[in-house]
Coordinates of all heavy atoms in Angstrom, one line a residue:
H68 N 18.4 -3.6 -7.0 CA 19.4 -2.6 -7.1 C 20.2 -2.5 -5.8 O 21.2 -1.7 -5.8 CB 18.9 -1.3 -7.5 CG 18.1 -1.4 -8.8 ND1 18.7 -1.6 -10.0 CD2 16.8 -1.3 -9.1 CE1 17.8 -1.6 -11.0 NE2 16.6 -1.5 -10.4
N69 N 19.9 -3.2 -4.8 CA 20.6 -3.2 -3.5 C 21.3 -4.5 -3.4 O 20.8 -5.5 -2.9 CB 19.7 -3.0 -2.3 CG 19.1 -1.6 -2.3 OD1 19.7 -0.7 -2.7 ND2 17.9 -1.5 -1.7
A70 N 22.6 -4.6 -3.8 CA 23.3 -5.8 -3.7 C 23.6 -6.3 -2.3 O 23.5 -7.4 -2.0 CB 24.7 -5.6 -4.5
M71 N 23.8 -5.3 -1.4 CA 24.1 -5.7 0.0 C 23.1 -5.0 0.9 O 23.0 -3.8 0.8 CB 25.5 -5.3 0.4 CG 26.6 -5.9 -0.4 SD 26.7 -7.7 0.0 CE 27.5 -7.6 1.6
P72 N 22.4 -5.8 1.7 CA 21.5 -5.2 2.6 C 22.3 -4.4 3.7 O 23.4 -4.8 4.1 CB 20.7 -6.4 3.3 CG 21.7 -7.5 3.1 CD 22.5 -7.3 1.8
L73 N 21.7 -3.3 4.2 CA 22.4 -2.6 5.2 C 22.1 -3.2 6.6 O 22.9 -3.1 7.5 CB 21.9 -1.1 5.2 CG 22.6 -0.2 6.1 CD1 24.1 -0.1 5.8 CD2 22.0 1.2 6.1
V74 N 20.9 -3.8 6.7 CA 20.5 -4.4 8.0 C 20.2 -5.9 7.8 O 19.5 -6.3 6.8 CB 19.2 -3.7 8.5 CG1 18.7 -4.3 9.8 CG2 19.4 -2.2 8.7
S75 N 20.7 -6.7 8.7 CA 20.3 -8.1 8.8 C 19.5 -8.3 10.0 O 20.0 -8.0 11.1 CB 21.6 -9.0 8.8 OG 22.3 -8.8 7.6
I76 N 18.3 -8.8 9.9 CA 17.5 -9.1 11.0 C 17.6 -10.6 11.3 O 17.4 -11.4 10.4 CB 16.0 -8.8 10.7 CG1 15.9 -7.3 10.3 CG2 15.1 -9.1 11.9 CD1 14.6 -7.0 9.6
V77 N 18.1 -10.9 12.5 CA 18.3 -12.3 12.8 C 17.3 -12.8 13.8 O 16.9 -12.1 14.7 CB 19.8 -12.5 13.4 CG1 20.8 -12.1 12.4 CG2 20.0 -11.7 14.7
M78 N 16.9 -14.0 13.6 CA 15.8 -14.6 14.4 C 15.9 -16.1 14.4 O 16.3 -16.7 13.4 CB 14.4 -14.3 13.7 CG 13.2 -14.7 14.5 SD 11.6 -14.4 13.7 CE 11.9 -13.1 12.6
T79 N 15.6 -16.7 15.5 CA 15.6 -18.2 15.6 C 14.2 -18.6 15.9 O 13.4 -17.9 16.5 CB 16.5 -18.7 16.7 OG1 16.1 -18.3 18.0 CG2 18.0 -18.3 16.5
I80 N 13.9 -19.8 15.5 CA 12.5 -20.4 15.7 C 12.7 -21.8 16.2 O 13.5 -22.6 15.6 CB 11.7 -20.4 14.4 CG1 11.6 -19.0 13.9 CG2 10.3 -21.0 14.7 CD1 11.0 -18.9 12.5
Y81 N 12.0 -22.2 17.2 CA 12.0 -23.6 17.7 C 10.6 -24.0 18.0 O 10.0 -23.4 19.0 CB 12.9 -23.7 18.9 CG 12.9 -25.1 19.5 CD1 13.4 -26.2 18.8 CD2 12.4 -25.3 20.8 CE1 13.4 -27.5 19.3 CE2 12.4 -26.6 21.3 CZ 12.9 -27.7 20.6 OH 12.8 -29.0 21.1
K82 N 10.0 -24.9 17.3 CA 8.7 -25.5 17.5 C 7.6 -24.6 17.3 O 6.8 -24.7 16.4 CB 8.6 -26.1 18.9 CG 9.4 -27.4 19.1 CD 9.0 -28.1 20.4 CE 9.8 -29.4 20.5 NZ 9.5 -30.1 21.8
R83 N 7.4 -23.5 18.1 CA 6.2 -22.7 18.0 C 6.3 -21.7 16.9 O 7.4 -21.2 16.6 CB 6.0 -21.9 19.3 CG 7.0 -20.8 19.5 CD 6.6 -19.9 20.6 NE 7.6 -18.8 20.6 CZ 7.8 -17.9 21.5 NH1 7.1 -18.0 22.6 NH2 8.7 -17.0 21.4
Y84 N 5.2 -21.4 16.3 CA 5.2 -20.3 15.3 C 3.8 -19.6 15.3 O 3.3 -19.2 14.3 CB 5.6 -20.7 14.0 CG 4.8 -21.8 13.3 CD1 3.9 -21.5 12.2 CD2 4.9 -23.1 13.6 CE1 3.2 -22.4 11.6 CE2 4.2 -24.1 13.0 CZ 3.3 -23.8 12.0 OH 2.6 -24.7 11.3
D85 N 3.2 -19.5 16.5 CA 1.8 -19.0 16.7 C 1.8 -17.5 16.2 O 0.7 -17.1 15.7 CB 1.4 -19.0 18.1 CG 1.4 -20.4 18.7 OD1 1.4 -21.4 17.9 OD2 1.4 -20.6 19.9
F86 N 2.8 -16.7 16.4 CA 2.8 -15.3 16.1 C 3.7 -15.0 14.9 O 4.0 -13.8 14.6 CB 3.2 -14.5 17.3 CG 2.4 -14.8 18.5 CD1 2.9 -15.6 19.6 CD2 1.1 -14.3 18.6 CE1 2.1 -15.9 20.7 CE2 0.3 -14.5 19.8 CZ 0.8 -15.3 20.8
L87 N 4.3 -16.0 14.3 CA 5.3 -15.8 13.3 C 4.7 -15.0 12.1 O 5.4 -14.2 11.5 CB 5.9 -17.1 12.8 CG 7.1 -17.1 11.9 CD1 8.2 -16.3 12.5 CD2 7.5 -18.5 11.5
E88 N 3.5 -15.2 11.7 CA 2.9 -14.5 10.6 C 2.9 -13.0 10.8 O 3.3 -12.2 10.0 CB 1.5 -15.0 10.2 CG 0.9 -14.3 9.0 CD -0.4 -14.9 8.6 OE1 -1.0 -15.8 9.4 OE2 -0.9 -14.6 7.6
E89 N 2.4 -12.6 12.0 CA 2.4 -11.2 12.4 C 3.8 -10.7 12.5 O 4.1 -9.5 12.1 CB 1.7 -11.0 13.7 CG 0.2 -11.3 13.7 CD -0.4 -11.3 15.1 OE1 -0.7 -10.1 15.5 OE2 -0.6 -12.3 15.7
C90 N 4.7 -11.4 13.0 CA 6.1 -11.0 13.1 C 6.7 -10.7 11.8 O 7.2 -9.6 11.6 CB 6.8 -12.1 13.9 SG 8.6 -11.9 13.9
I91 N 6.6 -11.7 10.9 CA 7.2 -11.5 9.5 C 6.5 -10.4 8.8 O 7.2 -9.5 8.2 CB 7.2 -12.8 8.7 CG1 8.1 -13.8 9.4 CG2 7.5 -12.6 7.3 CD1 8.0 -15.2 8.8
N92 N 5.2 -10.3 8.9 CA 4.5 -9.2 8.2 C 4.9 -7.8 8.7 O 5.1 -6.9 7.9 CB 3.0 -9.4 8.3 CG 2.4 -10.5 7.5 OD1 3.0 -11.0 6.6 ND2 1.2 -10.9 7.9
S93 N 5.2 -7.7 10.0 CA 5.6 -6.4 10.5 C 7.0 -6.0 10.0 O 7.3 -4.9 9.9 CB 5.6 -6.5 12.1 OG 6.7 -7.2 12.6
L94 N 7.8 -7.0 9.6 CA 9.1 -6.7 9.0 C 9.0 -6.4 7.5 O 9.6 -5.4 7.1 CB 10.1 -7.9 9.2 CG 10.4 -8.2 10.7 CD1 11.2 -9.5 10.8 CD2 11.2 -7.0 11.3
L95 N 8.2 -7.1 6.8 CA 8.0 -6.9 5.4 C 7.3 -5.6 5.1 O 7.4 -5.1 4.0 CB 7.3 -8.1 4.8 CG 8.0 -9.4 4.8 CD1 7.2 -10.5 4.2 CD2 9.4 -9.4 4.2
E96 N 6.6 -5.1 6.1 CA 5.9 -3.8 5.9 C 6.7 -2.6 6.4 O 6.1 -1.5 6.5 CB 4.5 -3.9 6.6 CG 3.6 -4.9 6.0 CD 2.4 -5.2 6.8 OE1 2.2 -4.6 7.9 OE2 1.5 -6.0 6.3
Q97 N 8.0 -2.7 6.6 CA 8.8 -1.7 7.1 C 8.9 -0.5 6.1 O 8.9 -0.8 4.9 CB 10.2 -2.2 7.4 CG 10.3 -3.1 8.6 CD 10.0 -2.3 9.9 OE1 10.7 -1.4 10.2 NE2 9.0 -2.8 10.6
T98 N 9.0 0.7 6.6 CA 9.2 1.8 5.7 C 10.6 1.9 5.1 O 10.9 2.5 4.1 CB 8.9 3.2 6.4 OG1 9.7 3.3 7.5 CG2 7.4 3.3 6.8
Y99 N 11.5 1.2 5.8 CA 12.9 1.1 5.3 C 13.0 -0.3 4.8 O 12.6 -1.3 5.4 CB 13.9 1.3 6.5 CG 15.3 1.1 6.1 CD1 16.0 2.2 5.5 CD2 16.0 -0.1 6.2 CE1 17.3 2.1 5.1 CE2 17.3 -0.2 5.8 CZ 18.0 0.9 5.2 OH 19.3 0.8 4.8
N100 N 13.6 -0.5 3.6 CA 13.5 -1.8 2.9 C 14.9 -2.4 2.6 O 14.9 -3.5 2.1 CB 12.8 -1.6 1.6 CG 11.3 -1.3 1.9 OD1 10.6 -2.1 2.5 ND2 10.9 -0.2 1.5
N101 N 16.0 -1.8 2.9 CA 17.3 -2.4 2.6 C 17.7 -3.4 3.7 O 18.6 -3.1 4.4 CB 18.3 -1.3 2.3 CG 19.6 -1.9 1.7 OD1 19.7 -3.1 1.4 ND2 20.6 -1.1 1.7

Side-chain angles (χ1 to χ4, degrees):
H68 304 290
N69 288 332
M71 295 293 286
L73 188 62
V74 179
S75 295
I76 303 163
V77 297
M78 183 182 341
T79 65
I80 303 167
Y81 177 66
K82 288 188 179 181
R83 72 165 188 198
Y84 62 103
D85 302 340
F86 305 103
L87 188 57
E88 183 174 10
E89 291 173 84
C90 173
I91 293 173
N92 287 343
S93 77
L94 293 172
L95 297 179
E96 294 169 357
Q97 290 291 303
T98 56
Y99 181 84
N100 293 298
N101 189 10

